């Protein structure tokens, strides 16, 4: 069951996150509540918090740089940048990243938007491009800073991260199968009007909408000839918070009337939750960060195992699809590096977090310079004459 007769899929996957980290205990103490609500109730321990001089472009470029350092740029004629925290209404964040990465001018670069779903749109569009011409490789970047209002119930589900993946023929990591199942519904569970820097959300409704979409996408997946639940070994869900993946998996088990017990259900998803628990919601990147977490934290060799993916973006658009882990994939992982990136984040306290949150709103709409706070390969310098300015710390 491959796309056309050519094997297509993800050849490499890398991630980056923000410079700072807030332990959710800081937030619970500020709110005067038991931290168990965050650590256990929603399944989140920490969240990455962007410094003044980083944004979706610097994180996206930092993730993509790892892919280009290993594979070069030959054959990459398309860059798809998925985000719902875009920095410009006209210019793609991908064009900034393309410039920072020193890529060839002979490239189409666009930004894709549909809440947390659009990286999966990017994957599917990329598969089509590669199936038409297997000599092409497509770079997909998904990068987001999840931002809710201070003192709102969404606040503990913020976070920040980027992933980049290379879509090719004869992929080394995951071969993506067909068919897929789709479900779109014009609703207001979570959205962000152009004049707002933080999302508007109907929290409880968004959970119900997510689960209803799962049911809709799974139903279409099966009606189009998709494999049964029992033929899928592991699952990767969009993770606004990790408890959501557990709720979704329980729902899928119920829909499919699988006899799997609680331990069996947990084993199918738990390795995909490890990184997201520490990073928070990374919107478009979240499901692929979950995939990276699964590949890097599963103690067993997963080669040959089939993964089921459920990608959800509020508003809403969702998709269920599967992929098969390729032999030898472990040699491509950057496990030590990725763990080190998480451990190297700078811990901040509640007051520092609040100041960074307020800074975003304070500088909106005018020129400003950022303080140099980060040490990553790319910096956001600020805005001058309405133009965003970036710097690469070393030649790419
Ligand atoms: P809330 O009202 O603050 O929390 O909102 P709650 O009262 O529902 O409690 C949460 C859980 O903690 C519950 O567990 C409590 O029982 C438990 P559950 O019943 O759900 O299993 N709890 C405790 N557990 C242990 N010890 C304790 C304790 N106290 C309570 N002491 C909500 C939670 C998620 C709604 C809120 O944070 C929110 O609005 N988040 C943002 C929206 C969101 O993430 N929605 C998810 C689905 S939509 C989606 O995924 C798309 C999205 O990523 C955006 C996009 O697509 O662009 C968001």
């Amino acid at each position: 069951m491959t796309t056309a007769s050519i094997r297509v899929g993800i050849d490499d996957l890398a991630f980056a996150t923000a410079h700072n980290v807030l332990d959710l205990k800081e937030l619970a103490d500020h709110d005067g509540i038991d931290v168990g609500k965050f650590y256990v109730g929603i399944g989140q321990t920490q969240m990455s918090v962007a410094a003044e001089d980083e944004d979706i472009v610097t994180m996206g470029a930092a993730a993509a740089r790892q892919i280009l350092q290993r594979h070069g740029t030959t054959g990459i004629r398309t860059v798809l940048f998925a985000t719902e925290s875009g920095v410009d209404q006209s210019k793609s964040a991908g064009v900034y990243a393309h410039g920072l990465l020193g890529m060839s001018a002979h490239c189409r670069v666009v930004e894709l938007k549909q809440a947390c779903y659009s990286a999966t749109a990017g994957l599917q569009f990329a598969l089509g491009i590669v199936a038409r011409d297997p000599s092409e490789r497509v770079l997909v970047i998904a990068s987001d800073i999840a931002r809710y209002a201070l003192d709102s119930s969404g606040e503990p589900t913020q976070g920040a991260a980027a992933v980049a993946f290379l879509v090719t023929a004869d992929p080394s990591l995951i071969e993506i199968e067909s068919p897929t199942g789709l479900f779109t519904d014009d609703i207001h569970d979570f959205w962000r009007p152009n004049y707002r820097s933080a999302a508007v959300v109907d929290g409880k409704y968004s959970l119900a909408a997510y689960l209803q979409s799962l049911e809709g996408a799974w139903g279409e997946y099966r009606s189009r000839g998709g494999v049964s639940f029992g033929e899928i070994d592991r699952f990767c869900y969009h993770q606004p918070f990790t408890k959501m993946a557990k709720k979704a998996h329980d729902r899928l088990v119920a829909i499919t009337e699988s006899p799997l017990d609680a331990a069996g259900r947990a084993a199918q998803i738990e390795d995909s939750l490890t990184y997201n628990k520490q990073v928070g919601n990374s919107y478009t990147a979240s499901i692929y960060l979950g995939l990276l977490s699964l590949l890097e934290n599963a103690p067993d060799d997963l080669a040959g195992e089939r993964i089921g993916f459920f990608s959800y973006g509020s508003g809403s658009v969702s998709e269920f699809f599967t992929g098969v882990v390729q032999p030898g994939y472990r040699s491509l992982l950057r496990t030590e590096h990725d763990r080190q990136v998480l451990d190297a984040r700078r811990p901040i306290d509640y007051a520092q977090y609040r100041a960074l949150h307020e800074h975003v709103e304070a500088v909106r709409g005018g020129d400003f310079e950022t303080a140099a706070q980060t040490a990553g390969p790319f910096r956001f310098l600020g805005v001058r004459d309405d133009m965003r300015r970036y710097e690469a710390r070393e030649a790419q």
Side-chain angles (χ1 to χ4, degrees):
M1 283 210 301
T2 52
T3 303
S5 53
I6 301 161
R7 296 173 55 255
V8 285
I10 299 174
D11 197 52
D12 196 4
L13 172 65
F15 110 105
T17 188
H19 182 70
N20 302 308
V21 61
L22 181 76
D23 193 299
L24 291 188
K25 176 89 170 65
E26 291 280 330
L27 193 56
D29 287 349
H30 167 77
D31 293 349
I33 61 168
D34 176 9
V35 72
K37 175 169 177 183
F38 300 153
Y39 285 180
V40 181
I42 60 170
Q44 293 299 127
T45 57
Q46 301 175 325
M47 65 189 190
S48 289
V49 179
E52 274 186 32
D53 57 338
E54 61 189 347
D55 68 2
I56 56 161
V57 171
T58 59
M59 287 192 304
R65 177 174 182 259
Q66 300 167 61
I67 302 275
L68 301 186
Q69 280 178 338
R70 181 183 281 174
H71 303 270
T73 55
T74 309
I76 302 180
R77 301 184 65 249
T78 304
V79 177
L80 303 174
F81 197 110
T83 186
E84 63 176 292
S85 32
V87 294
D88 194 290
Q89 293 285 50
S90 170
K91 180 169 175 170
S92 162
V95 172
Y96 287 112
H98 171 278
L100 286 170
L101 292 162
M103 296 181 72
S104 159
H106 303 294
C107 199
R108 66 171 77 84
V109 184
V110 292
E111 186 169 307
L112 302 171
K113 178 173 69 184
Q114 173 39 53
C116 303
Y117 166 75
S118 66
T120 297
L123 170 62
Q124 297 295 347
F125 299 163
L127 293 172
I129 290 170
V130 173
R132 192 176 72 161
D133 178 355
S135 72
E136 291 210 20
R137 304 186 298 166
V138 178
L139 179 64
V140 181
I141 302 172
S143 183
D144 267 305
I145 298 174
R147 193 175 146 77
Y148 294 90
L150 289 167
D151 304 315
S152 70
S153 66
E155 199 176 11
T157 63
Q158 298 175 111
V163 297
F165 53 87
L166 198 60
V167 177
T168 67
D170 295 323
S172 302
L173 223 53
I174 310 280
E175 179 185 349
I176 302 293
E177 300 179 297
S178 61
T180 81
L182 297 165
F183 191 80
T184 287
D185 197 9
D186 181 5
I187 57 170
H188 278 90
D189 61 331
F190 166 108
W191 67 106
R192 185 168 65 84
N194 288 342
Y195 51 83
R196 288 184 62 114
S197 69
V200 191
V201 64
D202 184 344
K204 296 284 189 287
Y205 176 48
S206 73
L207 268 64
Y210 179 117
L211 296 174
Q212 194 194 342
S213 294
L214 170 62
E215 201 157 340
W218 171 258
E220 210 227 3
Y221 171 74
R222 287 290 284 153
S223 73
R224 289 171 59 83
V227 300
S228 67
F229 180 86
E231 293 168 272
I232 303 175
D233 304 292
R234 313 264 176 163
F235 291 81
C236 254
Y237 292 89
H238 165 56
Q239 296 174 44
F241 50 94
T242 63
K243 179 77 150 307
M244 189 72 230
K246 291 185 183 156
K247 287 179 189 286
H249 200 47
D250 287 349
R251 176 64 65 93
L252 194 58
V253 166
I255 298 168
T256 56
E257 297 176 356
S258 161
L260 210 58
D261 63 11
R265 292 202 290 272
Q268 288 186 324
I269 61 167
E270 64 192 352
D271 294 319
S272 75
L273 312 180
T274 309
Y275 290 164
N276 300 59
K277 244 176 227 172
Q278 303 169 61
V279 164
N281 195 353
S282 54
Y283 290 163
T284 53
S286 159
I287 182 171
Y288 299 99
L289 182 59
L291 170 61
L292 191 68
S293 178
L294 168 61
L295 298 176
E296 294 190 345
N297 292 299
D300 312 328
D301 189 331
L302 303 181
E305 291 202 7
R306 175 176 285 124
I307 303 174
F309 296 88
F310 177 64
S311 180
Y312 177 78
S314 285
S316 69
V317 177
S318 63
E319 183 157 1
F320 190 94
F321 61 100
T322 58
V324 176
V325 183
Q326 297 302 293
Y329 76 95
R330 283 179 141 177
S331 65
L332 295 166
L333 301 176
R334 302 171 179 83
T335 309
E336 285 317 308
H337 169 268
D338 292 343
R339 289 181 182 162
Q340 204 271 330
V341 165
L342 287 169
D343 292 346
R345 289 174 298 169
R346 183 178 78 112
I348 54 173
D349 62 19
Y350 179 80
Q352 290 168 306
Y353 150 72
R354 193 167 179 111
L356 283 166
H357 197 288
E358 287 172 345
H359 168 80
V360 172
E361 199 54 45
V363 299
R364 251 161 76 87
D367 285 4
F368 63 96
E369 275 182 25
T370 58
Q373 297 176 334
T374 58
F378 306 105
R379 264 200 74 215
F380 169 47
L381 301 175
V383 176
R384 186 189 298 158
D385 299 330
D386 285 322
M387 286 181 265
R388 290 182 88 80
R389 291 158 52 248
Y390 294 93
E391 143 186 293
R393 283 204 162 99
E394 55 192 68
Q396 301 304 305

